[in-house]
Amino acid sequence: SSSLSGFGAGKVILLGEHSVVYGYPALAGPLSRGVRARGEASNKCQLVIPEALTAEQRKVLKAAFGRAMAACGEPGVKVSFDTDLPLSMGLGSSGALSVACARVLLQAAGRKASATEVAAVAWEMEQEFHGTPSGVDHTTSAMEQLILYRRKPGAEQGRAKVVESPKPVKLVVVMAGARSPTKLTVGALRERQKRWSERYQRIFREIGLLASEGAEAVEEGDLEALGDVMNVNHGLLAALGLSSPGLDDMVHRLRNMGALGAKLTGAGGDGGAVIGLFHDTGPAVHELTRLGIRCFDSQLAGPRSEGTRG
Ligand code: MEV
């Protein structure tokens, strides 16, 4: 029996996290890091769950895989996975895992594994991981392109428009905070916005406009404008109570290192990652690594020069 393999890319939200949950657009792109799933023929459909997980994590993972497995008609395959993505850092590890499993399950079922099919199966898993996610994570992972994503009210899947870039869009991704569960941060924001709906909706709407402006800046190759939009977006995320001293400190550090723009990415809260946009990521990665700060660089879009890692 031949073995199957599927990759799910991690993701970075350039603009529009959180407001995307409320129906506004977000700009997000894939990382070259992600989750690799492998499948071997087996008499039953099952997922090999890593030893290191807590009882609660195992339960969620089992339930999530159960939904994807059912969506694919329970093909006889034993799925295992590994990852080089920092977990619970707002880099889309659960979406990446969902996409990797979906690819293997669809192949095992002898079905097409187009981005649309993969996204539909991965969506089953994502709902189990996150409750009411916007869908931006697994869609970015399944499409593996920079996209402007918008959740459609009432619809199962959101809509994604590919954003082409004439210039390389290069980021430094810094693990600036502790691990932070997205579900809690999203839930706490939901309570605040219920209570002070108009004020919060105004800011969500403004962030949505920034995401669209950022997509235009990318298409025009105007990285300075993209950087400025990122800076403003970070300020509004802070206004929504989604930043922390640690994240703010890293944002300022990256700007001092010459970032065109810097902001938190993903859910924020107490933890997670910060991104900086650079013409050349090399010096910042070198300096941060020298200081013992965990980081990596990644190109999200645009032409790739020979020998560039993602
Ligand atoms: C998670 O990567 C981004 C959030 O906007 C949540 C979501 O989109 O479901 C915080």
Side-chain angles (χ1 to χ4, degrees):
S1 65
S2 62
S3 68
L4 305 171
S5 171
F7 179 71
K11 70 89 195 34
V12 157
I13 298 185
L14 266 178
L15 298 162
E17 47 274 275
H18 286 289
S19 39
V20 68
V21 173
Y22 299 87
Y24 298 97
L27 184 65
L31 295 168
S32 59
R33 291 178 180 230
V35 176
R36 168 74 54 192
R38 292 192 168 74
E40 284 167 55
S42 162
N43 54 6
K44 74 180 227 257
C45 192
Q46 58 181 308
L47 179 69
V48 180
I49 297 184
E51 291 294 326
L53 298 189
T54 64
E56 178 58 26
Q57 287 170 328
R58 289 172 163 270
K59 211 176 96 189
V60 173
L61 191 51
K62 252 185 120 166
F65 187 78
R67 285 177 66 157
M69 175 173 113
C72 293
E74 307 201 13
V77 64
K78 182 168 147 187
V79 182
S80 55
F81 65 90
D82 58 74
T83 183
D84 58 357
L85 206 59
L87 306 179
S88 301
M89 277 290 167
L91 301 176
S93 48
S94 74
L97 174 61
S98 303
V99 164
C101 288
R103 288 198 204 279
V104 170
L105 285 167
L106 284 165
Q107 287 170 57
R111 280 173 45 188
K112 259 199 340 206
S114 67
T116 313
E117 300 269 325
V118 168
V121 174
W123 176 239
E124 294 292 325
M125 289 184 73
E126 267 296 80
Q127 283 169 288
E128 203 65 45
F129 288 126
H130 284 307
T132 54
S134 67
V136 66
D137 287 20
H138 79 281
T139 305
T140 307
S141 180
M143 293 187 63
E144 284 188 272
Q145 301 203 67
L146 184 67
I147 57 172
L148 191 65
Y149 177 88
R150 188 164 192 171
R151 176 182 216 174
K152 278 201 332 213
E156 266 288 290
Q157 296 284 331
R159 206 180 303 175
K161 178 178 161 283
V162 174
V163 178
E164 304 280 357
S165 177
K167 292 213 184 126
V169 178
K170 291 182 187 172
L171 299 179
V172 175
V173 181
V174 191
M175 271 47 77
R179 288 186 177 187
S180 180
T182 295
K183 214 170 175 170
L184 297 183
T185 314
V186 170
L189 177 62
R190 187 173 292 282
E191 291 310 310
R192 292 198 291 282
Q193 76 84 36
K194 257 191 219 153
R195 184 157 176 208
W196 299 294
S197 175
E198 268 189 38
R199 182 157 57 248
Y200 279 72
Q201 288 296 333
R202 281 206 303 273
I203 298 180
F204 293 153
R205 196 176 315 126
E206 179 57 32
I207 293 176
L209 291 173
L210 294 177
S212 299
E213 280 171 34
E216 277 169 31
V218 168
E219 283 171 339
E220 286 161 10
D222 190 348
L223 296 182
E224 277 77 18
L226 176 63
D228 186 66
V229 174
M230 288 169 66
N231 288 338
V232 175
N233 191 170
H234 181 78
L236 293 179
L237 286 164
L240 292 170
L242 296 163
S243 194
S244 68
L247 296 180
D248 285 341
D249 180 60
M250 187 54 66
V251 163
H252 290 291
R253 236 195 242 220
L254 290 173
R255 288 178 192 158
N256 288 337
M257 288 177 167
L260 301 165
K263 63 183 276 293
L264 71 83
T265 187
D270 289 332
V274 165
I275 52 174
L277 177 72
F278 287 86
H279 286 302
D280 177 9
T281 52
V285 169
H286 184 84
E287 176 64 7
L288 290 165
T289 306
R290 196 184 60 81
L291 294 168
I293 296 167
R294 215 151 58 101
C295 68
F296 61 90
D297 57 352
S298 193
Q299 183 177 330
L300 285 202
R304 284 168 201 275
S305 56
E306 208 73 23
T308 312
R309 290 179 315 116

